Amino acid sequence: MSKKPPSHLVVLGHPSPDSFNAALAHCYIEAAQSVHHGAMLRDLYALGFDPLLKESERMPDGTTSASREIETEIDLLKQCDVLTFVYPLWFGMPPAIIKGYIDRVLGAGFRVGDLKQSGRGVLRGKRLAVISSSGSRRTWLEEHGMWVSLRQSFDEYLKTVFGFTRCDHYHADAIGDDMSEADANRIMFEVREFARSVCAAAAMPVNA
């Protein structure tokens, strides 16, 4: 019996459906589908996702009274093999709606004590991928310590706490209205290559 192809849950955090970030998300999905992987887009703004964590979702014993909205997202997480975030950097950080998704969905029922048990929950053994963008150049982000801070506080933290087997990150810099068509095409090419690399890793056995 053949193994089911890996599936990707792509979570987009940008308010404009015509944004370059949206185009990157669709580019990633098309690349994944081109190698026969499943891929689903969750456009948080289009879905009207509420990023505000509710007190009822912060149960100290790890239980949660998750709404139907959150249960739907958790079910999708259970079914995917790769969770991919796509977002712009605003003031050196991911948008609030992405942080809200982490708080409400990834953190559903998560307890402080679980920090000592890396890999608890539905994300254990899955892969994390990130596609980010910024108006500033990556060299500027690095010079001001923002790049290292982002990778440590977001990528590596999520990987460690939720038990992802690995985290891959592609960053597109100097994104703006004056970006040339050549640069836009180059970035799209790089995102397709990034997606294929993530797909290749996802197709390998977890312990490979």
Side-chain angles (χ1 to χ4, degrees), residues 22-194:
L24 295 180
H26 288 291
C27 180
Y28 178 97
I29 288 173
E30 290 167 4
Q33 292 175 338
S34 73
V35 293
H36 309 293
H37 284 213
M40 174 184 289
L41 176 67
R42 301 300 284 172
D43 183 338
L44 297 182
Y45 279 96
L47 291 168
F49 181 82
D50 181 359
L52 299 179
L53 181 68
K54 311 300 185 292
E55 178 60 27
S56 61
E57 296 169 346
R58 298 182 64 252
M59 305 300 285
D61 61 354
T63 61
T64 178
S65 57
S67 64
R68 181 173 298 178
E69 173 191 35
I70 300 304
E71 290 291 353
T72 295
E73 300 304 322
I74 293 173
D75 286 343
L76 292 174
L77 282 178
K78 290 178 180 178
Q79 297 170 33
C80 80
D81 301 287
V82 181
L83 172 61
T84 301
F85 286 113
V86 183
Y87 59 79
L89 291 183
W90 289 339
F91 303 103
M93 296 176 288
I97 202 165
I98 291 290
K99 182 58 167 62
Y101 179 91
I102 293 169
D103 290 346
R104 297 191 66 207
V105 181
L106 272 62
F110 196 83
R111 301 168 299 183
V112 174
D114 294 325
L115 292 172
K116 300 177 182 179
Q117 303 176 37
S118 177
R120 171 191 175 276
V122 301
L123 299 171
R124 183 181 181 87
K126 298 180 186 294
R127 287 174 163 84
L128 175 65
V130 177
I131 298 174
S132 60
S133 67
S134 64
S136 56
R137 293 196 175 276
R138 178 168 162 176
T139 51
W140 187 89
L141 296 174
E142 291 173 343
E143 288 172 1
H144 291 79
M146 296 177 184
W147 182 249
V148 171
S149 176
L150 175 69
R151 292 301 309 270
Q152 291 180 341
S153 63
F154 194 84
D155 297 2
E156 290 303 315
Y157 184 83
L158 294 183
K159 175 179 176 290
T160 300
V161 170
F162 293 108
F164 290 103
T165 59
R166 62 184 285 169
C167 176
D168 299 292
H169 193 137
Y170 173 84
H171 183 72
D173 63 354
I175 305 301
D177 294 336
D178 58 348
M179 182 173 57
S180 69
E181 183 178 354
D183 280 338
N185 290 336
R186 171 185 56 79
I187 292 170
M188 288 296 182
F189 172 80
E190 291 174 353
V191 167
R192 284 192 291 270
E193 292 301 300
F194 173 77

